[in-house]
Amino acid sequence: MNKKVIVQLLLLTALFGIIISVFFIYFNEDTNVNEKSIITKEVIEPEIDGKTGTLIKDISYSFSDPSGNYYELFSELGEIDINNSDKMLMTDVTAMIYLKNASPIKIVSKYAHYNKVNHETNFFENVELTHLIHKANSENLDISFNNNIATMYNDLIYNKPGTKLTADRLEIDLITKNTKISMDNDSEKIKIIENK
């Protein structure tokens, strides 16, 4: 009888060992599955603005006008205006304007407001305009395709080899390609520095 009791105790111990082992294995696998699914969700979840859900990466717009001018706009990141889906705030912006029968104009800025309907663009913060040997820097540049005018203003500095100029405003007619540099206050004068 002692042998029967010992065998029964061994079998009972083995049975409890198997039950406990299965129990721990089941819960360990379940924990691993949950951890894996959490990691997957973090990787798959797109970058979205928490308030509006309107961020877009690597944006590109282009159009041509009836005169044959062509306009391209690139941005690393854009946020659609939640109140008007035709308007967008862009970050790290580059624009190219290819005027008919003229060399291209390149514009770079930190930010820009862009209207997808009329293509009006307001560049701001560290704006740089380059055309051939001409370079202009300012804090703002507005392009109105309705008026065919590009206007730079706020801390305007214009450079070309041998000349540096500071003024309040630079206007470029996108049709005639004529440029006008002026001061907002008629009593102030444009500052020109000749470099030799």
Side-chain angles (χ1 to χ4, degrees), residues 3-86:
K3 285 184 182 180
K4 272 185 172 183
V5 172
I6 292 173
V7 170
Q8 286 176 347
L9 283 175
L10 286 174
L11 286 174
L12 193 57
T13 305
L15 182 63
F16 279 125
I18 291 171
I19 290 171
I20 291 172
S21 297
V22 169
F23 182 76
F24 282 115
I25 290 170
Y26 172 75
F27 280 109
N28 276 344
E29 285 180 5
D30 191 41
T31 304
N32 290 340
V33 169
N34 285 341
E35 286 174 6
K36 287 178 186 172
S37 65
I38 289 171
I39 290 168
T40 304
K41 284 180 185 174
E42 288 176 7
V43 171
I44 293 173
E45 190 173 322
E47 183 179 341
I48 294 175
D49 180 6
K51 290 182 255 178
T52 62
T54 56
L55 291 182
I56 303 171
K57 285 187 174 183
D58 299 323
I59 303 166
S60 172
Y61 287 104
S62 62
F63 81 97
S64 57
D65 67 15
S67 304
N69 299 318
Y70 184 71
Y71 181 64
E72 291 179 315
L73 186 63
F74 307 96
S75 174
E76 289 185 15
L77 188 67
E79 181 178 354
I80 298 170
D81 185 335
I82 195 161
N83 298 316
N84 183 348
S85 62
D86 293 332

Side-chain angles (χ1 to χ4, degrees), residues 164-182:
K164 178 181 178 181
L165 206 148
T166 58
D168 289 333
R169 190 168 299 271
L170 168 80
E171 290 184 1
I172 303 168
D173 187 311
L174 299 177
I175 302 296
T176 64
K177 290 102 175 161
N178 291 335
T179 302
K180 177 183 172 187
I181 299 173
S182 63

